[in-house]
């Protein structure tokens, strides 16, 4: 599971993100971008962040370190801003911490990643159905002249239908991907080559390792998915089904 730390101080809101992420200090002396469990989008967004981010890391892409950050009631008490106080109060418990990259800036095309790396990022987004890496919302930081992938909360959208319908891996496997607005479309090399390189690495063992990082309390039960182990198995089955049927989603067509 992700390493656990406790927030010792709320520093400032990050004003930019839609979910009102904030910056906190941890008892590990680190500075963390906190994605709050109490933000409107719910726990599944945090699960997608961890699953896709930790998968990306294991496939060799740069993703800031993530930790599970405990927020206790004391921190909310000392916050003067009412909106932030409400968010903190709603988020007591485990939240997601993303290592703050000081001096990074949002991708603007001025320092594009090499074509092979860009193709691997496009592949990751197509595979995980991440629609949130466009020019209006690049979710890519440039830090020390290199690209860092952030904000994977919109990926794995299939899990939002679990509360009513349960898991259906065939549906996710057949879901297309619109690459036309991807922020790296113009600089990416051959995505089918990236697929040939990365897809064989996405096996049961890798996915189990990735899914083990997700804290149990974020894995909400759904019809047919009674406990965290069943929820993890559903993510694994959905991702394995999709990686095996690239014809539906691979930009440039499957080989
Ligand atoms: N690890 C980080 N280091 C430095 N800055 C960061 C980091 N993570 C996020 N940011 C900054 O905060 C902004 C919002 O973060 P993020 O995209 O993760 O939040 P969000 O609420 O999911 O956003 P949205 O839904 O609006 O895309 C980023 O665009 C970036 O400017
Ligand atoms: Mg974002």
């Amino acid at each position: 599971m992700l390493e656990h730390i406790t927030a010792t101080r709320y520093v400032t809101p990050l004003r930019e993100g839609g979910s009102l992420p904030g910056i906190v200090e941890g008892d590990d002396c680190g500075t963390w971008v906190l994605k709050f469990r109490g933000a409107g989008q719910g726990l599944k967004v945090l699960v997608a962040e961890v699953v896709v981010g930790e998968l990306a890391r294991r496939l060799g892409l740069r993703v800031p370190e993530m930790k599970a950050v405990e927020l206790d009631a004391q921190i909310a008490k000392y916050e003067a801003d009412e909106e932030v106080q409400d968010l903190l109060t709603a988020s007591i418990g485990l939240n997601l911490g993303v290592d703050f990259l000081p001096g990074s800036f949002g991708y603007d095309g001025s320092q594009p990643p090499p074509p092979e790396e860009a193709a691997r990022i496009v592949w990751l987004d197509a595979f995980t159905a991440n629609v949130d890496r466009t020019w209006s919302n690049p979710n890519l930081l440039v830090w020390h002249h290199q690209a860092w992938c952030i904000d994977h909360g919109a990926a794995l959208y299939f899990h939002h239908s679990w509360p009513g319908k349960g898991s259906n891996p065939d549906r996710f496997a057949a879901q297309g991907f619109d690459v036309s607005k991807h922020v790296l479309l113009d600089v990416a090399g051959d995505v089918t080559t990236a697929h040939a390189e990365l897809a064989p690495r996405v096996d049961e063992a890798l996915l189990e390792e990735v899914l083990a990082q997700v804290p149990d309390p974020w894995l909400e039960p759904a019809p047919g998915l009674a406990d965290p182990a069943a929820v993890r198995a559903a993510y694994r089955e959905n991702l394995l089904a999709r990686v095996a049927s690239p014809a539906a989603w691979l930009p440039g067509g499957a080989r």
Side-chain angles (χ1 to χ4, degrees):
M1 217 179 272
L2 290 182
E3 188 185 329
H4 274 50
I5 58 169
T6 299
T8 50
R9 186 167 79 95
Y10 178 83
V11 183
T12 184
L14 249 181
R15 291 301 170 205
E16 292 164 61
S19 67
L20 261 195
I23 295 186
V24 302
E25 279 172 7
D27 61 358
D28 62 347
C29 297
T31 305
W32 299 90
V33 172
L34 211 64
K35 312 289 295 259
F36 292 102
R37 60 179 294 130
Q41 297 91 332
L43 291 169
K44 288 199 170 63
V45 173
L46 304 187
V47 176
E49 288 260 20
V50 175
V51 174
V52 178
E54 293 298 336
L55 177 65
R57 188 191 318 287
R58 284 162 180 77
L59 294 176
L61 296 170
R62 274 179 230 93
V63 179
E65 186 182 2
M66 292 189 272
K67 289 188 180 177
V69 183
E70 187 78 38
L71 196 70
D72 62 36
Q74 285 304 102
I75 299 223
K77 261 192 209 148
Y78 295 112
E79 176 54 44
D81 182 316
E82 233 174 87
E83 193 185 3
V84 173
Q85 193 182 58
D86 288 349
L87 184 57
L88 294 175
T89 306
S91 301
I92 290 165
L94 270 194
N95 299 270
L96 177 65
V98 182
D99 192 14
F100 179 69
L101 306 181
S104 61
F105 62 90
Y107 181 74
D108 60 2
S110 64
Q111 297 183 39
E116 301 75 25
E117 184 185 338
R120 288 196 282 269
I121 295 172
V122 171
W123 180 85
L124 174 84
D125 293 332
F127 170 47
T128 62
N130 178 25
V131 294
D132 243 1
R133 208 157 351 243
T134 62
W135 278 112
S136 55
N137 199 358
N139 289 321
L140 204 57
L141 298 178
V142 178
W143 194 51
H144 298 296
H145 309 288
Q146 292 180 310
W148 289 73
C149 299
I150 61 161
D151 190 7
H152 301 105
L156 311 184
Y157 198 77
F158 62 86
H159 58 184
H160 293 287
S161 66
W162 286 356
K165 298 187 188 153
S167 168
N168 182 349
D170 291 342
R171 193 170 46 211
F172 183 48
Q175 185 189 319
F177 181 75
D178 177 10
V179 76
S180 65
K181 296 195 179 66
H182 198 282
V183 69
L184 296 177
L185 187 63
D186 292 344
V187 296
D190 185 5
V191 184
T192 55
T193 304
H195 177 73
E197 178 202 346
L198 299 178
R201 294 169 60 183
V202 181
D203 60 12
E204 206 164 319
L206 182 73
L207 292 172
E208 289 209 339
E209 188 189 316
V210 163
L211 287 160
Q213 304 298 310
V214 182
D216 278 6
W218 296 352
L219 296 166
E220 300 163 296
L225 309 174
D227 56 23
V231 179
R232 284 197 178 88
Y235 281 106
R236 194 184 62 223
E237 282 159 22
N238 275 268
L239 289 164
L240 285 175
R242 188 165 172 90
V243 82
S245 53
W249 53 267
L250 185 66
R255 283 231 174 97

